[in-house]
Amino acid sequence: MIHLVRLGAMGAFGRFRSTEGLEFPLGARVVVRSARGLEIGEVLATEAAVAADRADGTLLRRMADADELLAQRLEKNRDQAFLRCAELLAERGSGSLLIDVEHLFDGRGLYFYFLGTPDAIAEQLIAELAEAYDAEARIGAFADALETGCGPGCGTDEAENGCSSSGGCSTCAIAKACSANA
C-alpha cells in the first residue's frame, strides 16, 4: 500500500510503501525511512488517491507512545540548538538569518535552514554545532531501536518482546534512553 506522507520541517512530501501492505488512516503520525533517514510524517492520502509508480521510502509504523516521548525530547533539543545557533551567529557577526533547525528522528541528521545562502561564518558554525549537538543529544545510538522497537505493545502489559514481558521497561532500550536523557 502506498501512502502520500508529509514530513520534515519544510513540509516536503513523498510516496511511502507500507510494510506488510498495511493501510494507515489519513492524518496518522507515522515513522518513515526516507533517503535522509528515519523521519516522522503525517499521512495525507492512500494509494487510491496517489499515482505511485515508485516509492520514496518505507512507511515503517504508526507512532507509538515511546516514539512520541522521543519526539518530544528531540523537539526540546532542536529548540536549544536553534537558540544556540542564533546566539553564535550574532556573536560572530554573521549576516545569515536562521529560520529553523531540524533533527531527524533517528538522530543521524541535523539540518539548519537559512533565509538565502548562509555566509562563510554560518557555514563554519553549522559544522561545529552539528558535531556538538550530536554529542550532547546522545541519540544516534538508538536509531536501530527506533526503527524496530521492541515489539507490539511496547511499554504495556501486552508486550511480547522485552518491556513488560521480561522485567518491565527496565529492559527496553528506548525507555532507558528517555530516562537517562530526561
Side-chain angles (χ1 to χ4, degrees):
M1 175 72 62
I2 299 291
H3 295 77
L4 184 64
V5 177
R6 176 177 41 226
L7 57 142
M10 297 295 124
F13 62 90
R15 292 177 225 98
F16 293 87
R17 185 175 313 280
S18 64
T19 58
E20 302 176 20
L22 298 175
E23 183 174 351
F24 294 86
L26 301 181
R29 282 176 47 94
V30 294
V31 177
V32 300
R33 175 169 296 290
S34 71
R36 298 191 319 165
L38 289 184
E39 300 189 61
I40 297 171
E42 177 188 357
V43 174
L44 300 176
T46 59
E47 187 175 46
V50 178
D53 52 347
R54 66 174 180 82
D56 298 311
T58 306
L59 194 162
L60 300 172
R61 67 178 179 276
R62 191 173 194 152
M63 291 279 288
D65 290 343
D67 295 327
E68 293 292 353
L69 288 172
L70 191 52
Q72 289 173 6
R73 178 70 180 160
L74 284 169
E75 186 68 17
K76 178 182 171 187
N77 286 333
R78 184 204 69 82
D79 292 345
Q80 292 172 351
F82 181 91
L83 292 172
R84 185 64 181 140
C85 186
E87 288 172 2
L88 290 172
L89 286 168
E91 286 175 14
R92 295 183 186 186
S94 172
S96 296
L97 180 61
L98 179 68
I99 58 172
D100 206 353
V101 175
E102 178 181 14
H103 199 227
L104 296 189
F105 190 59
D106 60 12
R108 292 184 177 151
L110 183 61
Y111 296 86
F112 294 85
Y113 296 97
F114 290 86
L115 186 60
T117 305
D119 60 21
I121 295 170
E123 287 184 16
Q124 179 183 3
L125 183 59
I126 290 168
E128 292 173 27
L129 283 174
E131 185 176 320
Y133 180 65
D134 183 52
E136 183 179 320
R138 300 183 203 285
I139 60 176
F142 305 118
D144 293 334
L146 290 173
E147 182 174 351
T148 60
C150 63
C154 180
T156 69
D157 291 334
E158 291 79 36
E160 296 175 9
N161 305 314
C163 285
S164 298
S165 64
S166 61
C169 286
S170 64
T171 63
C172 178
I174 295 173
K176 286 180 185 176
C178 290
S179 63
N181 291 318

